[in-house]
Amino acid sequence: DAFFDNDLLHSTRLFLQDAKGSFGLMVASSLDAHRQVCFAARGQTCSIAFYPRKGIICYGSEQAAVKAGLNYENPGDSKNVARNAHDEKDNAVRLDLDDLGGEICLLDWGYAGDDKPSISPPNRNLQVDKVMNNCVNVVLLHQSHADSFKQLSKRLTLLEHNEFIKPLLDDCTDPVLADIRDIPRVCKHIQDDWRDVGLNRMTAWNLANCIRERMQAIVDGKIK
């Protein structure tokens, strides 16, 4: 049974549930590297970005790192790659794994015409979602609070055509010097943003309300 059940997803599940410490993992096997890969997060962030129009999947422990695909241009004529540049389902999106409760993500893109994910019996009850224009299967496994998570489509953050997501800055010869020179501009931008009714003030207002409600719930005995 161990030989048939301990596939890539189940092996990652066994490792994560018994391991001590914080992890952001990418797990692959020589037996299944041609069709699938696993990502896992617990105590350390892990993000996965999907670029259907460019055929790229990026992953990393920093959200900003997976924006690298925004700066990547398709070789040759991009019109041959993108069917419709304005098609919403072709826009790049980002999935942030739950590093607090622990979460595993299996990506399976099939092999030799088999488009169904290869999953051993212990995990075949898990929901299978599609990304990359239905070319890649996504299976999510939560270590805790499995029923409290939204469906995949509502967890994805839009990377393209999103006014709040900016591409990575161009490379420079001296990034430290560039950061130092940016300090006055960045500080001024932060001060100006707080003076206006922007997202910072709205976020602070909502955070204060949440803290107030939680403290009141403790006083009322609703939270022990």
Side-chain angles (χ1 to χ4, degrees):
D1 291 341
F3 178 80
F4 291 103
D5 292 347
N6 293 340
D7 62 349
L8 188 64
L9 176 60
H10 196 60
S11 298
T12 306
R13 178 179 188 175
L14 293 176
F15 170 81
L16 206 63
Q17 71 183 19
D18 294 327
K20 304 297 182 183
S22 59
F23 301 93
L25 304 174
M26 188 284 288
V27 186
S29 167
S30 59
L31 297 177
D32 303 308
H34 60 285
R35 67 172 301 155
Q36 61 182 210
V37 64
C38 256
F39 301 96
R42 191 184 69 193
Q44 180 177 329
T45 57
C46 183
S47 298
I48 310 167
F50 305 97
Y51 295 84
R53 191 176 292 113
K54 299 178 179 180
I56 299 174
I57 298 178
C58 299
Y59 68 93
S61 58
E62 293 288 339
Q63 290 182 344
V66 299
K67 294 194 300 181
L70 294 175
N71 300 62
Y72 174 81
E73 297 296 336
N74 291 322
D77 186 1
S78 61
K79 295 181 180 179
N80 294 330
V81 180
R83 297 189 307 274
N84 187 346
H86 301 287
D87 197 336
E88 290 186 1
K89 68 176 179 295
D90 285 335
N91 289 333
V93 293
R94 187 190 73 223
L95 171 65
D96 300 320
L97 298 185
D98 173 35
D99 59 292
L100 182 60
E103 185 174 19
I104 301 171
C105 173
L106 171 72
L107 300 184
D108 189 306
W109 50 92
Y111 178 70
D114 179 14
D115 59 351
K116 295 182 179 179
S118 177
I119 306 175
S120 61
N123 299 305
R124 285 180 182 169
N125 63 311
L126 298 175
Q127 180 176 338
V128 179
D129 293 290
K130 298 278 189 177
V131 294
M132 302 290 286
N133 287 325
N134 296 325
C135 293
V136 178
N137 299 290
V138 179
V139 179
L140 297 175
L141 192 156
H142 307 282
Q143 284 196 297
S144 60
H145 310 296
D147 297 332
S148 64
F149 280 84
K150 299 178 181 179
Q151 62 186 26
L152 177 63
S153 60
K154 295 184 177 181
R155 292 182 56 189
L156 298 175
T157 301
L158 185 65
L159 295 182
E160 293 179 314
H161 307 294
N162 184 343
E163 60 179 315
F164 304 115
I165 301 292
K166 306 298 182 184
L168 296 176
L169 299 177
D170 295 332
D171 293 336
C172 58
T173 56
D174 193 338
V176 175
L177 178 61
D179 287 345
I180 293 175
R181 289 175 174 172
D182 280 340
I183 290 176
R185 178 183 60 82
V186 172
C187 290
K188 182 180 183 303
H189 175 75
I190 293 174
Q191 291 175 342
D192 292 342
D193 189 72
W194 278 97
R195 290 191 183 101
D196 298 328
V197 183
L199 285 178
N200 279 327
R201 290 178 63 176
M202 293 175 61
T203 302
W205 182 79
N206 280 288
L207 176 61
N209 286 339
C210 291
I211 294 175
R212 189 181 299 110
E213 291 177 1
R214 187 167 183 84
M215 293 178 66
Q216 187 62 49
I218 295 175
V219 173
D220 297 340
K222 297 178 181 180
I223 298 178
K224 297 181 180 179

